[in-house]
Amino acid sequence: SLAVARLLSQSFSIVSGGSFGSLSGTNNSVLTITGVGTIVIAANQAGNANYMAATQATASIVAIAGNLNSNVTGLAFGSVPLGSTSPAQTMIITNPNGLAITITSIVASGDFSATSNCPVITALGTCSVNVTFTPSVAGARNGTLTVTYGQTSSQQSVPLTGTGTAPGIQITPAALNFGSQVIATASYGQTITIQNTGTASLVISNIATTGDFATTGNCATVSAGSNCSLTVTFMPAATGVRTGTVTLTDNAGSGNQSQLVNLSGVGTQAGATLTPSVQTFPGTLVGSTSFLLNATLTNTGTAPLTGIGVSILGDFTQTNACPATLAPNTSCTISVTYAPTVAGAESGSLTVTDNLGTQSVSLLGTGLAPGASLNTAQLVFGGQLVNTSSSAQTVVLTNSGTAAVN
């Protein structure tokens, strides 16, 4: 306010600049300034019996706004992940004026927020404004911190910058096929690659595997621009087509989301049969060899029959063309002969061992041998005239054996 002293009877009026100033008090002798600019005041003095009225006088008053200073020309928040808020940065506002200045508002635009407790900054005083950055989308983000103050609503602005970062995820391949695998055995591992295509750390919060499959690997956090690998194996619990999935829960996108890799494979198992279960040889002369009788080993399954070995017991021998591994739906022949070393009934066995265990054929045969005997050890003819024939005496040959006497 400007107080104008009075001599005699004086009055004042505003010639121009009335939009940001007003007069009040006795004879409008108090000027209140509410804005910035030039105000022209006219002064009038009336006369009396002793004095003549004075000529009107004018004066110009220039009103200027108080300035505020800040300790920064801008605030840069760098990279901040989506969904998170940066640490606060502080701007110090200084009032260099001899009068207090009222703060009308402190506002941050864009993805920035400002807090302060500065309704008034005292003369030569300071005020702290804390600013944070919470990016709403990935990429460069800009804003402005605007301080409005004084009766003139003057403003001071500071630029704000930051970059929103977010992870991105790419998984290859989208599916794994393990082909055929013998049940209860583990396949070779196949690899899933997780690529972080974004600008922030990719967090894998859970890896879930279903079916006859197992996953190993440590991919809890994947840095921006890098990758990580998981290894998946297949151990079928049953024959036939087997399916499963690997599900990854991550922080890419908005909130937790899932990525799915489909898994498939075929469980296989060998099947072994050895036929016939019993092989009976005809009677065979001791010391001789019978004709061949065959046994057949067949892989009735869907996986190779491996580790094949053949053994035989008794007066029997075998020859075979069986490989160490027999492919599915194929067979091989084992030929057996009987060569008895003693007479009488005999038994033996043909045994095949493989990765499924043992299979066997019972072998039966009879050894044959002749048994020759005479009913007397000697013949006594007594006396007999020369050139005459005695009466005949009989010798009986008996075959008590099981083979012909030749």
Side-chain angles (χ1 to χ4, degrees):
S1 298
L2 174 65
V4 180
R6 292 181 295 134
L7 295 174
L8 298 179
S9 176
Q10 299 172 340
S11 64
F12 301 90
S13 62
I14 297 177
V15 177
S16 62
S19 60
F20 44 83
S22 62
L23 294 172
S24 62
T26 304
N27 297 324
N28 289 335
S29 60
V30 178
L31 173 64
T32 300
I33 299 173
T34 59
V36 295
T38 301
I39 303 174
V40 178
I41 304 296
N44 298 288
Q45 180 176 306
N48 58 21
N50 299 315
Y51 296 95
M52 294 179 60
T55 303
Q56 184 185 64
T58 60
S60 297
I61 299 173
V62 179
I64 60 174
N67 292 323
L68 294 177
N69 299 328
S70 68
N71 65 327
V72 295
T73 58
L75 295 177
F77 289 83
S79 297
V80 177
L82 294 187
S84 61
T85 299
S86 71
Q89 294 193 39
T90 301
M91 181 179 77
I92 305 297
I93 303 172
T94 301
N95 177 8
N97 304 287
L99 297 174
I101 293 182
T102 299
I103 302 299
T104 305
S105 66
I106 299 176
V107 178
S109 65
D111 292 341
F112 303 87
S113 299
T115 59
S116 67
N117 185 20
C118 298
V120 175
I121 305 179
T122 60
L124 305 179
T126 62
C127 171
S128 297
V129 180
N130 293 322
V131 184
T132 57
F133 172 43
T134 305
S136 59
V137 296
R141 308 297 290 163
N142 298 309
T144 302
L145 177 64
T146 302
V147 179
T148 304
Y149 58 92
Q151 293 174 323
T152 60
S153 296
S154 298
Q155 291 185 333
Q156 182 168 326
S157 296
V158 172
L160 307 174
T161 60
T163 301
T165 62
I169 188 169
Q170 181 179 23
I171 295 181
T172 53
L176 294 176
N177 187 337
F178 288 82
S180 296
Q181 183 68 33
V182 177
I183 65 171
T185 64
S187 69
Y188 290 108
Q190 294 195 41
T191 299
I192 296 174
T193 300
I194 304 169
Q195 177 74 39
N196 183 352
T197 58
T199 53
S201 293
L202 175 67
V203 177
I204 308 296
S205 57
N206 189 53
I207 300 173
T209 308
T210 64
D212 296 340
F213 304 87
T215 303
T216 58
N218 183 12
C219 292
T221 302
V222 184
S223 301
S226 63
N227 59 64
C228 182
S229 296
L230 300 174
T231 300
V232 183
T233 55
F234 173 43
M235 182 182 288
T239 59
V241 175
R242 312 294 289 172
T243 59
T245 57
V246 174
T247 303
L248 292 85
T249 304
D250 58 74
N251 66 332
S254 55
N256 289 337
Q257 66 175 15
S258 296
Q259 316 295 327
L260 190 70
V261 177
N262 291 309
L263 309 173
S264 62
V266 178
T268 62
Q269 185 176 32
T273 61
L274 184 61
T275 57
S277 60
V278 178
Q279 195 70 284
T280 302
F281 288 84
T284 302
L285 189 63
V286 172
S288 64
T289 300
S290 71
F291 54 81
L292 295 173
L293 291 180
N294 292 327
T296 301
L297 176 65
T298 303
N299 181 355
T300 58
T302 54
L305 184 65
T306 61
I308 296 173
V310 181
S311 61
I312 199 164
L313 295 176
D315 285 343
F316 304 89
T317 58
Q318 62 84 23
T319 58
N320 71 83
C322 293
T325 299
L326 193 60
N329 299 313
T330 61
S331 60
C332 63
T333 299
I334 304 170
S335 298
V336 181
T337 57
Y338 173 46
T341 57
V342 295
E346 289 191 274
S347 64
S349 63
L350 172 69
T351 301
V352 174
T353 58
D354 50 53
N355 62 313
L356 295 183
T358 60
Q359 300 80 43
S360 62
V361 174
S362 296
L363 304 175
L364 302 176
T366 302
L368 302 180
S373 63
L374 299 175
N375 63 333
T376 181
Q378 63 179 353
L379 295 176
V380 178
F381 286 88
Q384 182 68 34
L385 292 175
V386 175
N387 294 325
T388 62
S389 296
S390 68
S391 298
Q393 294 189 40
T394 302
V395 177
V396 178
L397 176 64
T398 301
N399 183 359
S400 58
T402 53
V405 176
N406 296 319

